[in-house]
Amino acid sequence: DAVDDTYGAVDGVVGATTASVLANDTLGGGPATVGVGGNVTLTPGAAPTPTSGSITMNPDGTITVGAGTEAGTYLYPYTICEVLNPTNCDTATATVVVQASPALTVDKTASAPTGNTAGSTIAYAFLVTNTGNVTVTGLVINDPMLDAPATCAATTLAPGASTTCSGVHTITQAEVDAGVVNNTATATGSLPGG
């Protein structure tokens, strides 16, 4: 008897492997087993196809969620058949819930200042990469020292995607007097559904 399974909160960013779908399956009242001396064969159905990453059923019935798999709920059907009576089969579905793990990285670089006096400018480039497993929309750079909000080539990033943003800072007399401009930035965005 193949019994449906649910695996929740699987980490799709680093990847993970579930318990075997056979753990709750039975044959003749005893546990269903595969491999040498096993009493059933396991045939995976159509594998789910996430936008990024992968989900694969292994010969032992465990399901491997590959690193970088997009968040979502995925259905993975499978069939077990009795070794001694191959027409005695049953089908079930494993539900794999890959948790949303949003993450962005920002690599900020500064070009050489246009001068060393107040009023000179420094152009900044921000390489923003979606290192999570959910699409991020409404991407913005948070840098209070920019003269105007940074502009980004893209404001929606799928998992693994990157974009470059740019902005300018005008050097103040206080910064000239200090001999240094210290500046940090972050990137934020919205997840699907707000």
Side-chain angles (χ1 to χ4, degrees):
D1 185 31
V3 180
D4 291 343
D5 305 275
T6 300
Y7 303 103
V10 176
D11 186 343
V13 174
V14 297
T17 299
T18 70
S20 176
V21 296
L22 299 173
N24 61 349
D25 295 346
T26 59
L27 177 67
T33 59
V34 293
V36 177
N39 56 11
V40 298
T41 58
L42 171 66
T43 306
T49 54
T51 303
S52 61
S54 61
I55 301 175
T56 307
M57 188 173 295
N58 302 306
D60 64 357
T62 59
I63 298 174
T64 299
V65 176
T69 298
E70 187 167 17
T73 300
Y74 301 96
L75 303 179
Y76 206 149
Y78 69 95
T79 301
I80 58 172
C81 296
E82 183 177 358
V83 170
L84 297 177
N85 180 8
T87 61
N88 180 23
C89 300
D90 197 16
T91 299
T93 301
T95 302
V96 180
V97 180
V98 178
Q99 68 186 11
S101 298
L104 296 171
T105 60
V106 180
D107 184 12
K108 180 180 180 179
T109 56
S111 62
T114 59
N116 58 2
T117 60
S120 299
T121 59
I122 302 172
Y124 290 102
F126 308 87
L127 176 63
V128 182
T129 303
N130 183 347
T131 55
N133 67 342
V134 291
T135 297
V136 176
T137 61
L139 177 70
V140 295
I141 296 294
N142 305 298
D143 186 338
M145 293 185 67
L146 295 180
D147 297 345
T151 56
C152 299
T155 58
T156 297
L157 292 180
S162 296
T163 191
T164 300
C165 305
S166 59
V168 174
H169 168 68
T170 300
I171 299 172
T172 65
Q173 186 60 50
E175 292 166 335
V176 171
D177 294 343
V180 66
V181 175
N182 291 313
N183 190 359
T184 59
T186 60
T188 57
S190 300
L191 300 178

